[in-house]
Amino acid sequence: MNRIVKYILLALVAILFIGTFVYLFINSRPKEVTYELVSPTTTSLERTTILTGKIEPRDEIEIKPQVSGIISEINIVEGDIVKEGDIVAKIKIIPDEGQLSSALSRIASAKISLSDAEQKHQRAKLLYDNKVISREELENAETTLAQARAELAAADDAYSIVKEGVSKTNAKESNTLVRATTSGLVLDVPVKVGSSVIQANTMNDGTTIATVADMSNLVFEGKVDETEVGLLSVGQEMEISIGALPDLALQAVIELIAPKGTETNGANTFEIKAAIDVPSDRTIRAGYSANATVRLAHADNVLAIPESVLEWGADSTFVYVFEEGSKPQKFNRTPVVTGLSDGINIEVKSGIDAAAHLRGAVVADPKKGGK
């Protein structure tokens, strides 16, 4: 009985050994690799680049006060349309004590001069009536009196300007009235009633009361990499797409390519500006993020193949041409001359014709059996 069990175990071991040997032998034999066949097509190709940037008004004007003080009134809000000369705010003057004191002293001095001129005029008139002095001397006294009256009026007006910022003789053109210096849309009003403001001078830029821009005159501002800037030119057309307005495509024309690049994250880029054709029936806001598509080159009705079937040599390009009817598949390595590429397909100028069948990707993996 034990001998029978022993023989059975030996037979099982032998079967296992032979089965393993047969399995390894079968799997070690090379299997036929089948490739997808790709045919050239006649099509049109174009090479484009996409620039990222934003939409900005061509001219964005900051309105600043001509005097320092506190805002007492604001007549605009963001989104309002203003015209040049419109009053956008009023400023209350906080007078300087030194200037105020000087203006009061000037008034007092002018009053003394006027009183003296009036007395001298009365005396000259009396003497003239008694034919003691000449007509010329009387006229001189009248002139002095008129000058004294004018000086008092000027001193009083200067006091009004120092104290209130308003001229009594020209209140409509007062510096306390902040006027729009251009026509357009109010983009921003960064101050409120009660805010202190400073006039622009050599020491500071002054406080911005409002920002106004003409939103019918917009530009695209973006950057282009140094590897592509040489392919762009002033006057070249581009298409603008705005993420916030996916249904809108704007046409633009390049009007500026910066002569000097800037380094950004280790790469040199050049600023570019393009004038946008703004449709009258759409509202476009300043600061929208946008992409610009520029066509760098194009070729119509050319023979093209997928760029993935190419083999790149040191200074040559090759494809593998299928030998018709060969089983298993056989391919001939053939040099070709290529042209324009759009990143997916590439133009073939010579080396093959439209009837050629080229080796593409592997259809079945011999080891995994995948596709």
Side-chain angles (χ1 to χ4, degrees):
M1 183 68 180
N2 290 334
R3 184 177 295 178
I4 295 174
V5 174
K6 181 179 180 180
Y7 288 151
I8 292 174
L9 291 175
L10 290 174
L12 291 174
V13 171
I15 292 171
L16 179 61
F17 178 77
I18 294 171
T20 302
F21 177 78
V22 172
Y23 174 80
L24 293 175
F25 175 76
I26 292 173
N27 281 276
S28 65
R29 296 176 60 188
K31 290 187 177 181
E32 179 182 346
V33 179
T34 303
Y35 293 93
E36 175 188 3
L37 297 181
V38 177
S39 299
T41 59
T42 300
T43 186
S44 296
L45 301 175
E46 67 176 19
R47 179 185 174 187
T48 61
T49 187
I50 296 180
L51 313 180
T52 59
K54 57 184 179 179
I55 306 298
E56 294 289 359
R58 182 182 299 279
D59 297 312
E60 191 171 316
I61 306 300
E62 294 181 344
I63 301 175
K64 299 178 182 293
Q66 295 179 324
V67 293
S68 300
I70 295 176
I71 294 181
S72 60
E73 183 179 323
I74 297 179
N75 301 325
I76 56 172
V77 296
E78 291 88 345
D80 284 351
I81 300 294
V82 296
K83 295 181 179 180
E84 182 178 353
D86 287 351
I87 298 174
V88 299
K90 293 182 180 180
I91 297 176
K92 179 182 178 181
I93 299 296
I94 304 299
D96 179 80
E97 290 299 327
Q99 293 180 350
L100 193 62
S101 177
S102 177
L104 287 172
S105 297
R106 182 181 174 185
I107 291 176
S109 177
K111 287 181 177 179
I112 294 173
S113 297
L114 177 61
S115 177
D116 179 65
E118 287 175 342
Q119 292 177 4
K120 289 181 178 180
H121 178 264
Q122 289 176 0
R123 200 162 42 243
K125 188 174 186 303
L126 181 61
L127 292 173
Y128 177 76
D129 290 340
N130 293 324
K131 299 182 180 180
V132 175
I133 62 174
S134 65
R135 176 68 183 177
E136 181 181 359
E137 291 178 291
L138 176 62
E139 290 176 349
N140 289 337
E142 291 176 345
T143 300
T144 302
L145 177 60
Q147 290 175 340
R149 288 172 176 170
E151 172 58 22
L152 179 59
D156 191 43
D157 195 49
Y159 173 76
S160 177
I161 292 174
V162 171
K163 184 178 180 180
E164 301 176 359
V166 179
S167 171
K168 291 182 177 181
T169 59
N170 193 16
K172 291 184 178 181
E173 298 300 326
S174 168
N175 289 341
T176 60
L177 302 178
V178 182
R179 299 180 181 273
T181 55
T182 186
S183 301
L185 178 72
V186 178
L187 301 181
D188 186 29
V189 182
V191 294
K192 297 179 180 179
V193 172
S195 299
S196 297
V197 294
I198 301 174
Q199 70 182 96
N201 53 47
T202 56
M203 301 298 294
N204 60 69
D205 294 334
T207 306
T208 299
I209 302 295
T211 303
V212 178
D214 181 3
M215 295 304 292
S216 64
N217 190 0
L218 302 177
V219 296
F220 169 82
E221 296 182 357
K223 292 185 178 295
V224 59
D225 189 81
E226 62 180 343
T227 59
E228 295 181 331
V229 68
L231 301 174
L232 302 180
S233 61
V234 174
Q236 194 169 1
E237 295 182 352
M238 59 170 58
E239 184 176 283
I240 307 295
S241 59
I242 301 174
L245 303 173
D247 61 327
L248 180 64
L250 302 174
Q251 301 302 314
V253 177
I254 298 175
E255 62 180 16
L256 172 67
I257 301 174
K260 181 180 179 180
T262 57
E263 185 173 341
T264 306
N265 298 326
N268 287 331
T269 58
F270 291 79
E271 184 182 6
I272 183 172
K273 290 185 179 181
I276 300 175
D277 184 11
V278 181
S280 58
D281 60 338
R282 297 299 297 266
T283 299
I284 301 177
R285 304 183 187 277
Y288 270 149
S289 297
N291 293 328
T293 302
V294 187
R295 187 169 71 170
L296 302 177
H298 70 281
D300 297 324
N301 299 321
V302 295
L303 195 66
I305 60 174
E307 197 165 329
S308 59
V309 306
L310 289 174
E311 179 182 279
W312 304 90
D315 56 357
S316 302
T317 308
F318 302 90
V319 293
Y320 287 86
V321 180
F322 175 63
E323 291 186 7
E324 298 295 336
S326 61
K327 292 185 179 181
Q329 292 176 324
K330 291 183 180 181
F331 299 90
N332 295 321
R333 189 169 184 258
T334 305
V336 293
V337 177
T338 58
L340 180 66
S341 170
D342 63 2
I344 299 176
N345 297 313
I346 188 169
E347 176 188 2
V348 177
K349 294 184 176 181
S350 64
I352 59 173
D353 56 29
H357 293 90
L358 311 177
R359 187 179 77 181
V362 177
V363 174
D365 189 324
K367 296 181 179 180
K368 298 181 181 180
K371 293 185 179 180

